[in-house]
Amino acid sequence: MMWEILNIIGTIAFALSGVLVALEERYDLMGVYILGFITAFGGGAIRNLLIGIPVTELWNQGALFTLAFLVMTLAFFFPNILNWTLQKRGVFFDAIGLGTFSAQGALFAASMGLPISAAIAAAALTGAGGGMVRDVLAGRKPMFLHKEIYIAWTLIPGLLIGSGLVTSDIGAFLIVSAVVLLRLGSVQKQWHLPYQSFQPLTK
């Protein structure tokens, strides 16, 4: 039950994240739906392609698709919803989505007997893939490439689940909790990975 609740919260958060970007870019209603669905489900679709799960498995999540559709519709016609969910609580919900979906990606790969490298990739793509596609479609620099530490936290479920060190539901829940707390901490403390600036030589 707890896992399903986290999955629902993550889907709602990522769907609303797509709506927010669409509204900021002044997209119409169809653009809102496209960015919202891509953010919420795009990571899972990319993961399925990567590890060999039929993409059609996504359509078995009919209830989540319906929920995302209703949430996006409400957010479009009543945009003040975004003021509460994303501007005040959005980081929390987004962190839950990142933790939940990255763990799911690693579990999918592990259940298929794939190597740890596949689990790491599946965790990263499931957790951050939807947002990456959203930003590209919106003409933005993908957030996980330049903001606070984001995609790096997906290494935790990828490594621990992919290596077989964690196999129980309790262990997976603890991993999700760790990713959520670390993501929130990276935003609160403004942690960043090292980066370099490069200025080409001019004649």
Side-chain angles (χ1 to χ4, degrees):
M1 178 63 71
M2 180 60 67
W3 191 264
E4 293 177 357
I5 292 174
L6 291 174
N7 195 23
I8 289 171
I9 293 175
T11 298
I12 291 173
F14 284 161
L16 288 176
S17 176
V19 173
L20 180 63
V21 171
L23 293 180
E24 289 177 347
E25 298 295 332
R26 302 182 65 84
Y27 287 1
D28 61 16
L29 180 59
M30 187 56 64
V32 166
Y33 287 139
I34 290 174
L35 285 192
F37 277 122
I38 282 177
T39 309
F41 300 100
I46 297 172
R47 174 206 65 215
N48 287 0
L49 287 172
L50 176 71
I51 65 178
I53 298 176
V55 178
T56 53
E57 287 292 319
L58 286 176
W59 306 123
N60 294 330
Q61 305 180 78
L64 288 178
F65 274 98
T66 301
L67 176 62
F69 174 79
L70 292 174
V71 168
M72 289 186 291
T73 302
L74 284 173
F76 180 81
F77 289 105
F78 303 97
N80 285 335
I81 292 175
L82 296 175
N83 292 331
W84 184 82
T85 56
L86 288 178
Q87 295 180 13
K88 295 183 179 180
R89 309 279 182 171
V91 173
F92 176 67
F93 287 161
D94 182 76
I96 290 179
L98 180 69
T100 303
F101 291 161
S102 61
Q104 283 182 337
L107 287 169
F108 269 115
S111 68
M112 298 181 66
L114 297 175
I116 188 173
S117 58
I120 292 172
L125 289 173
T126 309
M132 174 184 67
V133 178
R134 174 204 64 206
D135 290 341
V136 170
L137 289 179
R140 299 184 172 193
K141 183 187 298 184
M143 180 183 68
F144 72 85
L145 294 178
H146 65 101
K147 291 292 186 180
E148 300 89 359
I149 301 174
Y150 192 86
I151 197 171
W153 297 132
T154 65
L155 289 173
I156 297 173
L159 288 170
L160 295 180
I161 295 174
S163 64
L165 293 175
V166 174
T167 57
S168 65
D169 290 340
I170 294 178
F173 179 77
L174 291 176
I175 288 176
V176 171
S177 300
V179 173
V180 171
L181 292 175
L182 289 168
R183 171 57 184 158
L184 292 175
S186 66
V187 174
Q188 181 68 27
K189 303 296 184 180
Q190 295 186 340
W191 295 335
H192 291 80
L193 293 174
Y195 64 91
Q196 281 281 10
S197 59
F198 174 74
Q199 295 293 333
L201 296 177
T202 58
K203 296 183 179 179

